[in-house]
Amino acid sequence: GENVEQHPSTLSVQEGDSAVIKCTYSDSASNYFPWYKQELGKGPQLIIDIRSNVGEKKDQRIAVTLNKTAKHFSLHITETQPEDSAVYFCAASGNNDMRFGAGTRLTVKP
Amino acid sequence: DAGVIQSPRHEVTEMGQEVTLRCKPISGHDYLFWYRQTMMRGLELLIYFNNNVPIDDSGMPEDRFSAKMPNASFSTLKIQPSEPRDSAVYFCASSMGLGNTGELFFGEGSRLTVL
């Protein structure tokens, strides 16, 4: 089955800096890669996703890149703000179940 | 829609007691998922249903865990008897499709503490 690894487990940046979180996956059949943000005491919420026919996708300050050959994908947050502080999960999915990475705790210091 | 609704939000119980967690999915969503979140193991899929039918329960850790979906608007996850290692946050999620065909919407979770 699919195995998703996520790095780093914790990340601390200064407000205004960029943050990058990286994930690798093992199943070449995976074709859908969402990113979820989990705030304290809440459930994860989808913030952006990318499908395998696209190499990059951007939505305001967040962007995702996908390298299918290397089986890795990344989340980029620019101009970070304190409200970006949360735990971020990557996931990979084929036609069936979705596997999540272990999560990255991002702290944005004002 | 109010989103996925879970209850209780917090449950503290003693080892050996029965625990029942409840979930109301988003109306119109055909898929319902139960996840467990712990520091050690992250987010683990326990079981999922399609149109109220359990499809994959390979993630259910032991026979002490059971899940039901008697109708399209209600599901339960039961642990009997509970053990301290079951302490975790349990999330219910629903979607219109599976994998790349539907966004997962999560509830706010039920935090279970077994003493």
Side-chain angles (χ1 to χ4, degrees):
Chain A
E2 178 63 273
N3 182 44
V4 179
E5 296 197 358
Q6 183 172 347
H7 300 279
S9 56
T10 61
L11 179 59
S12 181
V13 299
Q14 208 65 40
E15 183 178 358
D17 288 350
S18 295
V20 180
I21 302 170
K22 299 182 179 182
C23 289
T24 60
Y25 62 99
S26 60
D27 189 349
S28 56
S30 290
N31 56 12
Y32 175 60
F33 307 92
W35 287 86
Y36 286 80
K37 175 183 181 182
Q38 184 178 22
E39 297 178 339
L40 195 62
K42 307 255 180 172
Q45 185 173 11
L46 180 72
I47 55 170
I48 195 167
D49 57 12
I50 191 168
R51 285 176 166 76
S52 58
N53 57 347
V54 176
E56 184 173 355
K57 184 176 177 181
K58 195 171 181 180
D59 182 3
Q60 298 183 350
R61 295 186 298 106
I62 59 175
V64 289
T65 59
L66 171 65
N67 183 327
K68 282 215 74 178
T69 303
K71 296 198 190 72
H72 64 71
F73 55 113
S74 301
L75 176 72
H76 304 250
I77 307 174
T78 58
E79 300 172 30
T80 53
Q81 301 167 3
E83 51 265 39
D84 295 329
S85 296
V87 179
Y88 291 82
F89 293 93
C90 63
S93 174
N95 294 324
N96 294 316
D97 69 325
M98 186 176 300
R99 297 289 172 176
F100 286 85
T104 296
R105 181 174 299 279
L106 173 65
T107 303
V108 180
K109 294 181 283 188
Chain B
D1 201 314
V4 176
I5 299 173
Q6 291 186 245
S7 65
R9 291 293 316 276
H10 302 273
E11 173 96 4
V12 180
T13 191
E14 293 189 344
M15 183 174 63
Q17 296 297 306
E18 177 179 294
V19 173
T20 299
L21 308 178
R22 298 172 179 80
C23 175
K24 182 181 188 304
I26 293 173
S27 176
H29 282 190
D30 292 332
Y31 290 86
L32 183 140
F33 306 79
W34 282 101
Y35 283 87
R36 178 171 67 177
Q37 185 177 39
T38 60
M39 289 292 291
M40 291 297 293
R41 301 172 71 90
L43 267 169
E44 300 174 275
L45 177 64
L46 301 178
I47 185 171
Y48 78 89
F49 296 82
N50 176 215
N51 292 325
N52 314 338
V53 177
I55 303 300
D56 183 357
D57 65 353
S58 59
M60 296 284 263
E62 300 170 34
D63 291 345
R64 298 184 297 106
F65 286 68
S66 62
K68 293 182 180 178
M69 192 165 185
N71 58 62
S73 59
F74 183 66
S75 177
T76 59
L77 177 68
K78 188 174 290 188
I79 308 172
Q80 165 64 17
S82 58
E83 296 182 3
R85 60 194 166 121
D86 301 331
S87 297
V89 181
Y90 291 82
F91 287 102
C92 176
S94 69
S95 70
M96 294 180 69
L98 194 59
N100 58 13
T101 62
E103 175 184 346
L104 272 179
F105 291 83
F106 285 83
E108 297 204 321
S110 294
R111 180 176 293 277
L112 173 64
T113 302
V114 183
L115 303 174

